[in-house]
Amino acid sequence: MAASASAAARKLVVDVHSHLYPSAYIELLKKRTDIPYVRPFPPTNQLCLCNRPPQNTSQAGGSGGGGGGDSAASKVPPGRILHPHYYDVAEKIAFMDHHQIDVSVLSLGNPWLDFLPPADAAAVAVEINDATDALCRQHPGRLFFFGALPLSGGESVILAEVARLKTLSQARGIVMGTGGLGNGLDDPQLLPVYRALADAALPIFLHPNYGLPGPVWGPRGGAYGQVLPLALGFTMETTIALTRMFLSGAFDAVPQLQLIVAHSGGCLPFLAGRVEACIEHDKTWAAQGKLTADRTTLWHALRHNIYLDGVIFDKVGLRTAIEASGVDRVMFGTDHPFFAPLDGGETFPAMTLNRDAARDVFPAGADDAAGYDLVMGENAVRVLNLRTSDAS
Amino acid sequence: MAASASAAARKLVVDVHSHLYPSAYIELLKKRTDIPYVRPFPPTNQLCLCNRPPQNTSQAGGSGGGGGGDSAASKVPPGRILHPHYYDVAEKIAFMDHHQIDVSVLSLGNPWLDFLPPADAAAVAVEINDATDALCRQHPGRLFFFGALPLSGGESVILAEVARLKTLSQARGIVMGTGGLGNGLDDPQLLPVYRALADAALPIFLHPNYGLPGPVWGPRGGAYGQVLPLALGFTMETTIALTRMFLSGAFDAVPQLQLIVAHSGGCLPFLAGRVEACIEHDKTWAAQGKLTADRTTLWHALRHNIYLDGVIFDKVGLRTAIEASGVDRVMFGTDHPFFAPLDGGETFPAMTLNRDAARDVFPAGADDAAGYDLVMGENAVRVLNLRTSDAS
């Protein structure tokens, strides 16, 4: 079912935060014995993706820390059960149809390719990106994707894949975690990668994976299920990574660099004023001569380099994201297939909560009601150039 | 100079986030050899409060992690230089006069009394709280305070000091860090303390101290001065502590408990929707039967238990705090004497930025302009019962 792009172009609903593990990726992880790996999980032998070592296992049941144990005897799966909606593109399309999403921009889920041995990185990236491009081409106008970079492969390998992604018809950017080359996004060794991405007009979809060190959740953290690492760990990880990147001067060095930040920027839209105040008040910082009058401020970066997805689940947060970054810079997303419905039904609350938040911020009939269409799709179409391939 | 309380009562400017170390506290820390302690720092031998062990010392100069090194040869003080505005109440009054602040609610700065040997806790708390009450009584109607609790002293000692604070004329609540009794604010052993505070109608002023583990700032964290631990570490610490407290059911157990949360609640106003979504989607959580229909939601807690100070430095954050908690629940603050001016002048940007943020949210002449007065003082007067003692 192709979207009726011409007549309804202004009303397209675009999901920029939508994960898919292509089969080649799952096969790769099945062959691994170290984390991350994929294994059957008893008693049903469903495939399970174990992404993190267990941490902060609770006294009260449940698994804290975002991972889970590795014991086959445990009742809690040691990671994510890979239901078909994690890898089957037909499930993705069915989800989109059910929720009236016209276009999705797919990204490989974490942990991406960060773990690859350097010698394997180039070939695996080609295989995974080509497979994803092919999946998207099966649904013209409906599926695009953010490619995965072979970050462990060294600069020339990474830059070669950036150049190659630019030639793939459905690629519209790259997905990157907060680790970068292993030392964070403030690593000066990433600058050539940032420059290449900016030159290729490929934005980075920045997504968390690693969370925060387990002890911050305290001795009772496991009793709260995944709530703390998922609600706070992920968003704080993103915020720290992005702030470090900003403080390193990456946006001064590569002014055309574009990021789309998952989960509405973590906490940064709310904390941007405090970050700026702390910079201005930091004597050590000032003493280093970095407080030049023409430095890029975080507000400038939020309005010129950073786009935010709309995966924030409530109008209070969504309005903050829009005020921080601009109504033309926030893009609807669902985080599918995560946040699956618990009631056995087909409707994902992650879709309805985030759509309703946009409607709450821009009520129908209000002066700024057009903001709803911007957030729900027009921004993504414009920024990611989705209309061009619509006609393909 | 007493505030002209009767005529201008509706326009009082109240600062609920204002720290003072009474002399008795500094003398106590001078006698200590373990962190925290106070020592003269060469070459000028100014007193310096060393609050944290050094962490994440940079490759590029500066001291990350919120503390600093302990080397007398270092050019960077191993903590805070204790300028008179940290302990001299005349400096506090001069600051208030210069910035047209009518009333301040003082709190002991971190690390409060958390470090005391249990046997000393009761007597030190009495000494510090009585000294602070006496300082406040020297300036009737202008100074009130949040008392410090002897948290290491055991339950009966803590509850005795809560009862005693209720009898001190200028006490209006208590200041507490995120450590609680040592295991966080989700510790069930804190419930009797929470109940006693609720029964005494003494709110908790919740303030961070410990930050996040140093490795999260990465290998270049020290190059950014104190920006990361101060802007992000403090706010994330608060957010995690408060979310843990909420998840533990503390607000279900003690529905009348009142908190005033520093730095506009950390990140929680922005993340509340995500926290709620993660709770609703967490199968482990659901399986524990905690998703009862009548559970207290985080939104309910934000609107019934939690007040937020306005120390957020920008209109985007302040508006979020107000939307999350309500215009009648956000209270102006300055964090004085932190964020001191760097230009040698007397005007603290922490005052002007936070006041201007309130004016930006509630422009003069707008329909909701009255919100400015609520945030700048009326909320604090009402919630903390500041008018009563004005007449004393």
Side-chain angles (χ1 to χ4, degrees), chain A residues 62 183 186 216 220 223-224 226 230 240 244 263 266 270 274 280 282-283 285 288 317 319-320 323 342, chain B residues 183 186 216 220 223-224 226 230 240 263 266 270 274 280 282-285 288 317 319-320 323 342:
Chain A
N183 285 308
D186 54 348
V216 303
R220 288 162 297 276
Y224 313 134
Q226 297 294 318
L230 196 57
I240 293 168
R244 284 171 51 183
H263 313 119
F270 184 64
R274 182 172 175 87
E280 292 290 331
D282 193 285
K283 290 174 185 172
W285 191 256
Q288 289 174 358
R319 188 178 285 122
T320 309
E323 290 206 0
L342 293 178
Chain B
N183 285 310
D186 54 349
V216 302
R220 288 161 298 275
Y224 314 135
Q226 297 293 318
L230 196 57
I240 293 167
H263 313 119
F270 184 65
R274 183 171 173 88
E280 292 290 331
D282 193 287
K283 291 175 185 173
T284 306
W285 192 255
Q288 288 174 358
R319 188 177 285 122
T320 310
E323 290 206 359
L342 292 180

Side-chain angles (χ1 to χ4, degrees), chain A residues 168-207:
Chain A
L168 299 187
S169 70
Q170 307 307 99
R172 288 298 183 273
I174 64 104
V175 61
M176 194 184 282
T178 63
L181 305 175
N183 285 308
L185 303 184
D186 54 348
D187 185 349
Q189 293 195 50
L190 272 169
L191 287 175
V193 179
Y194 294 156
R195 286 197 191 96
L197 290 166
D199 290 346
L202 292 172
I204 297 169
F205 179 49
L206 172 60
H207 194 286

Side-chain angles (χ1 to χ4, degrees), chain B residues 90-244:
Chain B
E91 294 274 341
K92 181 68 74 182
I93 295 291
F95 164 80
M96 291 166 63
D97 288 346
H98 178 73
H99 296 83
Q100 299 181 286
I101 295 169
D102 299 290
V103 181
S104 292
V105 186
L106 306 180
S107 48
L108 188 61
N110 50 332
W112 314 290
L113 309 181
D114 290 11
F115 56 88
L116 288 176
D120 298 349
V124 171
V126 169
E127 181 185 13
I128 299 295
N129 288 329
D130 282 354
T132 309
D133 193 59
L135 286 173
C136 292
R137 277 188 279 110
Q138 292 171 15
H139 300 275
R142 299 207 70 191
L143 296 181
F144 298 87
F145 77 108
F146 298 121
L149 289 185
L151 291 171
S152 60
E155 183 176 315
S156 62
V157 163
I158 301 169
L159 297 187
E161 189 61 14
V162 170
R164 219 184 62 81
L165 279 167
K166 188 67 184 167
T167 70
L168 299 187
S169 71
Q170 307 305 100
R172 288 297 183 275
I174 63 105
V175 61
M176 193 184 282
T178 62
L181 305 175
N183 285 310
L185 303 184
D186 54 349
D187 184 351
Q189 294 195 49
L190 272 169
L191 287 176
V193 180
Y194 294 155
R195 285 195 192 98
L197 290 167
D199 290 346
L202 291 173
I204 297 169
F205 179 48
L206 172 60
H207 194 286
N209 175 46
Y210 301 96
L212 291 183
V216 302
W217 312 128
R220 288 161 298 275
Y224 314 135
Q226 297 293 318
V227 175
L228 289 166
L230 196 57
L232 305 187
F234 260 26
T235 47
M236 292 175 177
E237 174 193 349
T238 302
T239 306
I240 293 167
L242 189 54
T243 308
R244 283 171 51 183

